[in-house]
Amino acid sequence: MIKFFLMVNKQGQTRLSRYYEHVEIHKRTMLEAEVIKNCLSRSKDQCSFIEYKDFKLVYRQYAALFVVVGINETENEMAVYELIHNFVEVLDKYFSRVSELDIMFNLDRVHIILDEMVLNGCIVETNRNRILAPLFVLDKVAEN
Amino acid sequence: MALTIVSQIFPREMIPAVLPLIEDKLQHSKEIIRRKAVQALYKFYLIAPNQVQHIHDKFRKALCDRDVGVMAASLHIYLQMVKEDSSGYKDLTGSFVTILKQVVGGKLPIDFNYHSVPAPWLQIQLLRILGLLGKDDPRTSELMYDVLDESLRRAEINHNITYAILFECVQTIYTIHPKSELLEKAAKCIGKFVLSSKINLKYLGLKALTYVIQQDPNLALQHQMTIIECLDHPDPIIKRETLELLYRITNGQNVIVIVQKMLDYLKQSKEEYTIISLAGKVAELAEKYAPDNEWFIQTMNAVFSVGGDVVHPDIPNNFLRLLAEGFDDGKEDEQLRLYAVQSYLALLEEEDAFYPQKFLQVMSWVLGEYSSLVTDVDPEIILTRLHRLLKKTFVTAETKAWIMAAVTKIASRTTSSKTVDKLIREFSTSLDTCMRQYAFELKHLCEDKVLMKSLFPFDASCNDIVVDASLSFLDGFVAEVLGHGAAPYKPHHQRQEEKLSQEKALNFEPYGLSFASSMSSSGFTGRQSPTGLSFGSDTSGNSAETGHKETNSLKLDGVKKLWGKEGYLPKKENKIGKEDEALTVPRGSLLAGHVADPPVSQSDQVATFSEEEKEKQQLASTLFVGLGSNAGVSLMGKADMAVQKFKRKSKINETQNTEETPDIQNSAALALGPLLDTLPSNKEGHEGNEHTRLRKASLDSSDTTEDNLAFEKPQSLKKPGLDNRLLDSRLSSSSLFADSNIEIFHPSPSAQCESASKTLLAPSLPGELAELPHSEVVELCQSDDLALHLCKVWTDDSLLLTMFVSNKNTSALNDVNLVFEKAEHFQILESPAYQFSVIEAQSVEHCQQCVQMDKICTQGNLPGSINYQSGMETHLEFSITLSLLDFIRPMEMTTEDFGKLWLSLANDVKQNLKMSSSQDSFSAALNTLQQKLKLHIVDIIGNEGILACQLLPSVPCLLHCRIHAGMLALWFRSPCSALPDSLLYQCQKVMEES
């Protein structure tokens, strides 16, 4: 099961966070800070999976942006690792060459995309066209 | 969009209102809507599985949906359900296999591909479900072999995601009933993982290896060099995973090396969680495989000092228990204790060493108990050391208490000691009240040596001290106070309950009544207080005495007995086997080295071995020694044998396979059918209906609450009085129940004679029971000699299982034992076993068992077995299916009582049911409920009805029904949270059937 989904930049600023398990607000900031500290301290040739407390972190770096996913024992690390990539590919397709700014200023869209893909901690959709379908409908409505 | 929200956040209470809407959406023409509806249902299932019980067949329909997305969404529900109970979904294995086959075969639309791999996450999900389904089930597993083989073969493209699939595949293969060919392939796969230069893959490989190694330790031998490398890997997570792997392959011979490695890691790591789990593992290994006392004590010392205070409290407890209880061998115990004492004394000698609190506690306990075993050390020295500890600032109050207890114990064994005197003097004026208390106790005990000796007998830590928990010595006092007119003591929850119901009355009735209830409550508390207070002061006075006595021994209570049963026995065996193994070990290590590094050894370039490699190989040989039965020694020979075995097995498998193939094809065809089916086109007008129905629902609920308010008003006036009465009656009914139990369950001898005298083999109920409502007699199991029949008798206050054992032989059967096993949901009153010493030829004996439902479920199984002696021991197993309805009885009450009880119950569930045309009239519907569910109709007022029932022995459940335009609104309330849900499910079933 996926516990949380984070997007953090190298300066440690959280760009997106989505929790699938209840975590108190003040604990979230602490958790995020520690998670990013852990990820930043690792070099390129080290494993993309880290053990953290009683769960595991899977992270992937895109330029200055880290995508970190917290998972529990039952989840397949590699599958989550690729899910991150899939997510970024979807973002890339929607924003056509996604950048950190896109994510900052279109946070609602990013959330919609993420919610289409991950629900209650489970991976529910990975088909790029289908993930974006509702979003395109929304955009059309907005135009009219 | 609304559906998305529903599937993310949704309150449990609102499900019944929205459920029909979502059910309709399952038939929507757009697949995205169907998918969202299924996802919403998944959310419902997660938060309240009982409420969606009746639409399981709709999930099945979703699984066979022609759209892949909808099908994929339903898999989440199935994964969850299969996780909870895999036996119920075995029939779906075929469908899952076909779906996976289609996915793997690339039958999906091209846009589902991810880097040209078809729907990888879907595959992973399916593999997980299959793994759960095939676990320990050879028949189901057989269906999967083909498709698993296929997925292994297909996943050859060099991409991360294929590795993820492979990993899942391997995991599934090792979870299901094993098949040698597949295992071989999976092992090869893991090999590729482990040897990969990519770090992520290596990690995955290690993880898979950890998983696999439990079944086949020999696989570790193949990868031993890699494992050694990983052990020194700079990345801590790889190291951690390797240690996990080693932990799994630990045995008596490699334990020292492995534990050393783990401790090294422990010393470096700072993460609290890692320390906790790793320290626990080290302690477990040490207890299980410790080769000698010295090593054991030293390892445990290391665990305590490194683990610090975060270690799991079980570890020190287990350790102390081990020391205290000892093993069968008295001499060894002595040595262990002696060594422990010596090592702790040495540790305490250092002036300014810092130790974690838990470690200090363990030390002080051991010193207190066993310091007298060490004869060459003056107790005075030990006392000074403990004294020094007491003065240190970092020692917490709890640890100080432990140390003081130790001092007291030692003092009891010495005649007089300056240190003790000094200690008493120092702490009698301490600011810490606890310490002062201890000091005074110690002082008084020192003055009375005889009492002290009797209080602290040597090595009595395992003897139980009997504590009078009921405080019977206070009985006289209580009686006296009662005689003076004080109110009897009521337990806390009872008081709470009374208060609660009064409060509720207050809420509903702002005027008039508030006066009455406040009067009664104030009077009530006034009467209550004297006893309560005196009780409190009295016990607190006593607790100081008893409390102190308890500290010595009670701390060890409730700890698991780990060492005695598992650990020590294997250790002994190891010792016996050691002489033999000592000879084979060197040879084994040599060979292991050769196999691991063949090119070098073959060319005989031993001299060019770098120092490092030699070290590594040595480590390898020490680590992997003793794996399997005689692992390293005959690695080559073993492999041959394994191949032979595989060959033989595979032949059998082949023949089986040919038999199975038509089956598989059949099932495939069956499962394909619905997939291709077009959607049933009955969505007409559903959308139009929605709005009106929603309005109806809201109207309904407001109506009912108003009605209830009106309903409660006249009754609430008499509330306080009635409340008490109600409680009384409940109490008395339960006590009556207990009495009648005893009467009924001893099968009356006359009844037995009656049935025995019948020469007919068809069992029938004895007269008195036959008059009660009962089920038909069904056969449970039978053999050549005997048959077992069952008849459920629903008495007013219990469920009686009447078991008939009929002897079909011409000779008598001796010693027939009937045993019920422990079931999760049910509890057998009295003993679960019944013995017939003799059953005459051609006759029937019977016995009765009273069963209660422990945990609420709609249906459950009660397994049992019967064995008997006829020539040889025969054992028959059977299982009885019990439904919730077996335990539901009507509850007689008046309308007033109903209203009262209704208010006091907290858990409620509401649901609207469609009425079928056959049960048009309201009374007809109620009658169905009355007959089928054994509910008692309390009253019918217009188009509303109230019903009551109880779950045996005495859990009430109330039902309020209201009919409105073809819908039946049910509203349940009960003190037990699970009961309304289950009962609602039964109602739905009954209403649908009729």
Side-chain angles (χ1 to χ4, degrees):
Chain A
M1 212 192 104
I2 296 174
K3 293 188 165 204
F4 57 80
F5 201 105
L6 289 179
M7 283 179 110
V8 201
N9 69 6
K10 260 191 172 165
Q11 283 80 47
Q13 289 157 311
T14 311
R15 290 292 171 225
L16 170 135
S17 71
R18 182 85 172 82
Y19 289 82
Y20 299 99
E21 215 167 59
H22 182 71
V23 182
E24 280 169 49
I25 302 287
H26 66 276
K27 279 190 186 154
R28 289 187 183 188
T29 27
M30 240 167 58
L31 182 106
E32 281 160 22
E34 275 196 42
V35 164
I36 189 67
K37 208 175 76 194
N38 265 325
C39 292
L40 282 173
S41 66
R42 296 176 69 82
S43 62
K44 276 238 165 71
D45 54 331
Q46 279 184 312
C47 197
S48 317
F49 317 122
I50 323 173
E51 201 167 48
Y52 175 73
K53 294 206 172 153
D54 52 345
F55 51 90
K56 291 219 167 92
L57 301 174
V58 179
Y59 71 92
R60 216 166 164 154
Q61 190 181 358
Y62 294 93
L65 205 60
F66 278 92
V67 182
V68 191
V69 184
I71 54 170
N72 69 2
E73 291 293 304
T74 55
E75 195 63 58
N76 181 335
E77 284 96 344
M78 199 50 125
V80 175
Y81 186 67
E82 283 308 299
L83 175 82
I84 296 175
H85 192 66
N86 193 4
F87 174 64
V88 174
E89 275 180 10
V90 173
L91 289 182
D92 211 44
K93 186 176 174 185
Y94 182 73
F95 293 109
S96 48
R97 292 204 58 75
V98 67
S99 70
E100 196 180 332
L101 287 177
D102 286 324
I103 293 164
M104 279 168 70
F105 293 115
N106 295 295
L107 199 58
D108 51 337
R109 309 278 142 140
V110 182
H111 264 290
I112 291 174
I113 291 176
L114 184 58
D115 286 347
E116 283 292 319
M117 293 179 73
V118 182
L119 189 80
N120 293 315
C122 299
I123 303 168
V124 287
E125 186 59 84
T126 51
N127 182 334
R128 258 184 279 173
N129 298 330
R130 293 200 168 196
I131 293 166
L132 292 178
L135 211 52
F136 284 139
V137 173
L138 274 182
D139 285 346
K140 235 179 227 169
V141 172
E143 268 170 36
N144 296 334
Chain B
M1 207 61 201
L3 283 170
T4 320
I5 299 297
V6 164
S7 47
Q8 280 171 18
I9 38 167
F10 204 73
R12 188 172 183 270
E13 292 72 27
M14 269 171 71
I15 293 178
V18 184
L19 194 55
L21 294 178
I22 290 177
E23 276 180 56
D24 289 344
K25 285 282 175 292
L26 284 176
Q27 265 110 44
H28 201 275
S29 63
K30 279 217 175 100
E31 62 267 354
I32 184 164
I33 304 229
R34 269 180 284 150
R35 183 161 65 86
K36 295 277 179 188
V38 174
Q39 283 168 4
L41 286 180
Y42 170 62
K43 178 70 181 176
F44 289 172
Y45 182 81
L46 280 184
I47 50 183
N50 278 329
Q51 301 200 11
V52 287
Q53 249 169 348
H54 60 291
I55 47 171
H56 277 187
D57 54 323
K58 295 219 165 116
F59 296 154
R60 285 188 188 225
K61 212 183 259 169
L63 182 67
C64 303
D65 198 284
R66 77 203 140 105
D67 182 73
V68 187
V70 184
M71 184 270 293
S74 74
L75 286 183
H76 292 286
I77 305 180
Y78 276 107
L79 181 65
Q80 200 66 32
M81 293 199 291
V82 170
K83 228 182 237 171
E84 276 156 25
D85 170 34
S86 66
S87 59
Y89 303 94
K90 299 274 186 204
D91 56 321
L92 283 175
T93 315
S95 318
F96 290 128
V97 168
T98 345
I99 295 170
L100 183 57
K101 220 176 249 171
Q102 285 173 334
V103 175
V104 173
K107 301 261 165 58
L108 296 187
I110 199 87
D111 60 345
F112 276 94
N113 285 9
Y114 173 80
H115 290 266
S116 64
V117 181
W121 290 279
L122 185 61
Q123 288 189 40
I124 287 169
Q125 189 85 3
L126 279 165
L127 283 169
R128 266 184 213 157
I129 295 178
L130 288 182
L132 287 171
L133 280 174
K135 197 172 183 187
D136 306 321
D137 184 351
R139 222 154 18 114
T140 324
S141 300
E142 227 147 78
L143 294 172
M144 307 170 190
Y145 291 145
D146 265 358
V147 74
L148 286 177
D149 192 32
E150 175 93 7
S151 348
L152 272 185
R153 215 149 21 83
R154 289 264 181 173
E156 266 165 3
I157 316 157
N158 228 4
H159 191 269
N160 274 337
I161 194 69
T162 55
Y163 294 122
I165 298 175
L166 277 181
F167 174 75
E168 208 63 43
C169 228
V170 168
Q171 212 164 9
T172 309
I173 288 170
Y174 274 92
T175 323
I176 62 173
H177 191 79
K179 183 187 176 189
S180 49
E181 271 173 59
L182 274 180
L183 291 185
E184 220 170 342
K185 275 184 189 161
K188 218 183 273 169
C189 243
I190 297 174
K192 251 192 279 173
F193 275 37
V194 177
L195 294 175
S196 162
S197 58
K198 282 187 193 158
I199 183 110
N200 285 346
L201 283 187
K202 199 167 241 171
Y203 169 81
L204 220 55
L206 280 176
K207 202 177 161 191
L209 207 54
T210 318
Y211 198 74
V212 163
I213 243 158
Q214 285 162 297
Q215 295 194 12
D216 183 15
N218 284 328
L219 210 59
L221 290 173
Q222 291 170 20
H223 300 296
Q224 45 182 314
M225 285 319 278
T226 329
I227 295 173
I228 301 297
E229 265 164 33
C230 290
L231 206 52
D232 296 327
H233 202 277
D235 196 345
I237 187 149
I238 299 270
K239 245 183 184 176
R240 178 81 180 75
E241 206 59 41
T242 318
L243 287 178
E244 189 73 34
L245 192 149
L246 289 179
Y247 164 69
R248 301 279 163 89
I249 57 166
T250 308
N251 59 26
Q253 290 149 60
N254 57 14
V255 64
I256 298 182
V257 194
I258 290 181
V259 166
Q260 192 52 46
K261 285 274 164 201
M262 287 170 112
L263 283 176
D264 285 348
Y265 185 84
L266 251 184
K267 278 170 196 155
Q268 286 166 11
S269 86
K270 287 176 188 71
E271 182 78 48
E272 197 172 297
Y273 282 86
T274 329
I275 292 176
I276 293 174
S277 71
L278 213 55
K281 276 171 187 159
V282 174
E284 193 193 322
L285 289 182
E287 283 186 18
K288 258 194 197 159
Y289 301 113
D292 58 59
N293 291 333
E294 219 161 299
W295 182 85
F296 177 63
I297 297 287
Q298 257 160 12
T299 310
M300 289 313 281
N301 286 353
V303 169
F304 286 134
S305 54
V306 174
D309 289 322
V310 291
V311 292
H312 201 269
D314 271 359
I315 298 174
N317 285 350
N318 273 343
F319 175 65
L320 290 185
R321 190 190 180 89
L322 196 71
L323 281 179
E325 288 187 343
F327 334 114
D328 323 325
D329 188 359
K331 211 165 151 195
E332 203 147 322
D333 292 352
E334 206 113 302
Q335 270 180 354
L336 184 65
R337 290 169 188 165
L338 194 70
Y339 188 77
V341 172
Q342 277 167 349
S343 74
Y344 292 150
L345 277 179
L347 282 175
L348 285 181
E349 210 159 355
E350 289 167 45
E351 272 292 339
D352 38 37
F354 174 82
Y355 299 111
Q357 306 297 325
K358 286 217 172 106
F359 193 22
L360 285 178
Q361 291 169 8
V362 168
M363 281 191 206
S364 54
W365 188 87
V366 171
L367 289 181
E369 276 302 311
Y370 300 115
S371 63
S372 54
L373 287 175
V374 188
T375 44
D376 55 342
V377 180
D378 187 11
E380 200 74 357
I381 297 174
I382 304 172
L383 283 172
T384 18
R385 280 185 196 153
L386 290 174
H387 180 222
R388 209 164 55 205
L389 269 185
L390 276 178
K391 284 196 286 192
K392 293 228 165 105
T393 42
F394 65 82
V395 180
T396 61
E398 193 197 346
T399 315
K400 276 184 182 164
W402 281 75
I403 297 172
M404 276 310 269
V407 169
T408 321
K409 277 183 245 171
I410 297 171
S412 72
R413 273 172 234 130
T414 51
T415 43
S416 69
S417 151
K418 273 182 214 155
T419 328
V420 172
D421 292 340
K422 200 167 97 192
L423 203 139
I424 293 170
R425 241 178 297 127
E426 244 168 67
F427 288 102
S428 301
T429 53
S430 162
L431 279 178
D432 186 350
T433 44
C434 258
M435 290 306 290
R436 206 148 62 183
Q437 164 95 15
Y438 274 122
F440 276 118
E441 275 168 13
L442 186 57
K443 190 177 166 194
H444 286 295
L445 285 172
C446 282
E447 282 161 10
D448 190 352
K449 285 282 171 194
V450 183
L451 177 66
M452 198 168 186
K453 282 257 156 62
S454 66
L455 263 182
F456 301 107
F458 177 63
D459 195 13
S461 56
C462 298
N463 305 350
D464 290 330
I465 293 178
V466 184
V467 179
D468 187 0
S470 64
L471 302 176
S472 58
F473 51 88
L474 287 175
D475 282 352
F477 175 77
V478 173
E480 195 183 318
V481 178
L482 278 178
H484 285 98
Y489 174 72
K490 287 183 184 173
H492 178 72
H493 60 90
Q494 197 177 337
R495 269 176 285 164
Q496 204 79 9
E497 229 168 72
E498 281 171 16
K499 232 180 235 170
L500 209 73
S501 55
Q502 277 164 9
E503 268 166 26
K504 269 195 181 153
L506 260 176
N507 281 342
F508 276 94
E509 289 298 308
Y511 296 107
L513 189 89
S514 66
F515 173 69
S517 66
S518 68
M519 270 292 282
S520 76
S521 72
S522 68
F524 180 56
T525 44
R527 268 183 290 140
Q528 193 65 41
S529 52
T531 34
L533 271 178
S534 57
F535 239 100
S537 61
D538 220 279
T539 37
S540 68
N542 259 309
S543 65
E545 278 178 32
T546 45
H548 181 63
K549 276 185 223 162
E550 282 164 16
T551 43
N552 298 324
S553 63
L554 280 188
K555 282 202 171 132
L556 292 171
D557 278 357
V559 183
K560 272 189 245 150
K561 220 181 187 176
L562 251 185
W563 171 275
K565 275 180 185 160
E566 291 166 27
Y568 185 60
L569 295 178
K571 183 188 145 197
K572 270 205 149 175
E573 282 165 12
N574 276 341
K575 273 197 178 155
I576 300 163
K578 211 162 234 177
E579 282 174 28
D580 301 349
E581 274 154 6
L583 287 172
T584 56
V585 164
R587 262 198 295 153
S589 62
L590 251 177
L591 252 175
H594 277 275
V595 175
D597 212 343
V600 188
S601 58
Q602 269 170 11
S603 52
D604 278 329
Q605 289 174 314
V606 189
T608 59
F609 264 160
S610 69
E611 221 28 61
E612 212 179 315
E613 261 175 21
K614 260 189 199 167
E615 243 172 57
K616 273 188 184 172
Q617 282 189 8
Q618 212 165 5
L619 187 58
S621 60
T622 44
L623 274 177
F624 296 98
V625 75
L627 269 187
S629 47
N630 44 4
V633 186
S634 56
L635 203 65
M636 303 308 285
K638 233 190 171 179
D640 278 348
M641 264 177 45
V643 170
Q644 271 180 357
K645 251 192 246 164
F646 284 153
K647 269 183 192 160
R648 235 178 286 150
K649 259 193 197 165
S650 63
K651 255 185 208 164
I652 301 166
N653 276 328
E654 264 167 40
T655 48
Q656 278 174 345
N657 268 348
T658 47
E659 282 169 15
E660 292 297 325
T661 34
D663 275 0
I664 294 172
Q665 276 167 357
N666 272 344
S667 65
L670 276 174
L672 263 173
L675 253 171
L676 297 171
D677 258 357
T678 47
L679 196 77
S681 55
N682 54 347
K683 56 144 194 167
E684 339 107 28
H686 271 308
E687 275 167 325
N689 270 339
E690 271 165 34
H691 296 287
T692 45
R693 202 178 299 161
L694 197 67
R695 221 179 303 145
K696 268 180 220 160
S698 61
L699 270 176
D700 266 0
S701 58
S702 65
D703 270 0
T704 38
T705 42
E706 268 174 38
D707 284 343
N708 264 322
L709 268 176
F711 192 52
E712 244 66 31
K713 268 178 193 168
Q715 296 157 18
S716 43
L717 280 170
K718 301 175 213 155
K719 188 136 295 180
L722 261 173
D723 254 333
N724 282 339
R725 234 205 295 157
L726 202 71
L727 280 169
D728 283 351
S729 67
R730 214 186 293 166
L731 274 175
S732 66
S733 76
S734 66
S735 62
L736 261 176
F737 172 65
D739 287 345
S740 57
N741 248 351
I742 298 162
E743 275 176 7
I744 291 176
F745 301 135
H746 293 296
S748 56
S750 64
Q752 259 185 19
C753 292
E754 220 176 68
S755 67
S757 64
K758 281 180 192 161
T759 42
L760 276 175
L761 270 180
S764 65
L765 281 173
E768 69 214 59
L769 288 176
E771 289 163 14
L772 294 166
H774 58 85
S775 71
E776 282 172 21
V777 179
V778 283
E779 187 183 284
L780 285 177
C781 63
Q782 69 171 327
S783 69
D784 295 338
D785 306 310
L786 101 188
L788 188 65
H789 294 267
L790 164 79
C791 178
K792 295 181 196 168
V793 181
W794 299 296
T795 63
D796 284 344
D797 46 14
S798 63
L799 172 70
L800 279 182
L801 297 180
T802 313
M803 314 286 297
F804 300 94
V805 187
S806 31
N807 184 356
K808 298 201 275 184
N809 267 353
T810 43
S811 58
L813 279 176
N814 288 326
D815 292 336
V816 180
N817 282 313
L818 186 66
V819 184
F820 286 97
E821 272 153 46
K822 224 176 148 123
E824 188 190 352
H825 299 285
F826 307 104
Q827 189 197 349
I828 310 271
L829 303 176
E830 299 184 14
S831 73
Y834 196 89
Q835 186 176 26
F836 305 93
S837 52
V838 64
I839 299 181
E840 295 299 330
Q842 300 286 332
S843 72
V844 181
E845 290 279 334
H846 73 111
C847 69
Q848 288 155 346
Q849 290 286 353
C850 179
V851 187
Q852 267 187 12
M853 189 172 258
D854 239 9
K855 268 202 270 169
I856 290 174
C857 64
T858 48
Q859 204 165 54
N861 281 329
L862 180 66
S865 62
I866 185 163
N867 54 3
Y868 60 93
Q869 206 88 36
S870 76
M872 53 194 256
E873 183 100 8
T874 318
H875 182 84
L876 291 174
E877 285 186 1
F878 59 88
S879 155
I880 303 170
T881 310
L882 297 173
S883 121
L884 175 72
L885 290 184
D886 288 329
F887 300 93
I888 295 287
R889 298 287 177 275
M891 190 168 170
E892 306 260 340
M893 58 165 64
T894 62
T895 315
E896 285 171 5
D897 286 340
F898 183 93
K900 198 126 322 224
L901 197 57
W902 181 267
L903 278 188
S904 66
L905 300 179
N907 300 295
D908 63 349
V909 169
K910 293 182 207 174
Q911 173 104 16
N912 289 350
L913 291 185
K914 271 184 212 162
M915 301 255 290
S916 63
S917 54
S918 65
Q919 11 168 272
D920 265 341
S921 74
F922 183 49
S923 56
L926 287 189
N927 277 334
T928 341
L929 290 180
Q930 184 185 21
Q931 280 158 17
K932 299 246 171 98
L933 297 185
K934 297 183 216 147
L935 303 179
H936 171 67
I937 300 182
V938 181
D939 208 348
I940 302 179
I941 312 162
N943 58 353
E944 282 178 52
I946 45 178
L947 295 89
C949 68
Q950 56 180 336
L951 173 73
L952 293 174
S954 58
V955 184
C957 184
L958 305 181
L959 169 62
H960 176 271
C961 319
R962 184 188 153 80
I963 192 148
H964 188 82
M967 295 288 276
L968 185 65
L970 298 175
W971 190 2
F972 290 89
R973 272 201 179 182
S974 166
C976 165
S977 60
L979 187 56
D981 278 343
S982 323
L983 213 56
L984 174 63
Y985 172 61
Q986 299 284 0
C987 279
Q988 282 167 343
K989 239 171 63 178
V990 169
M991 298 303 275
E992 272 167 27
E993 278 166 11
S994 63

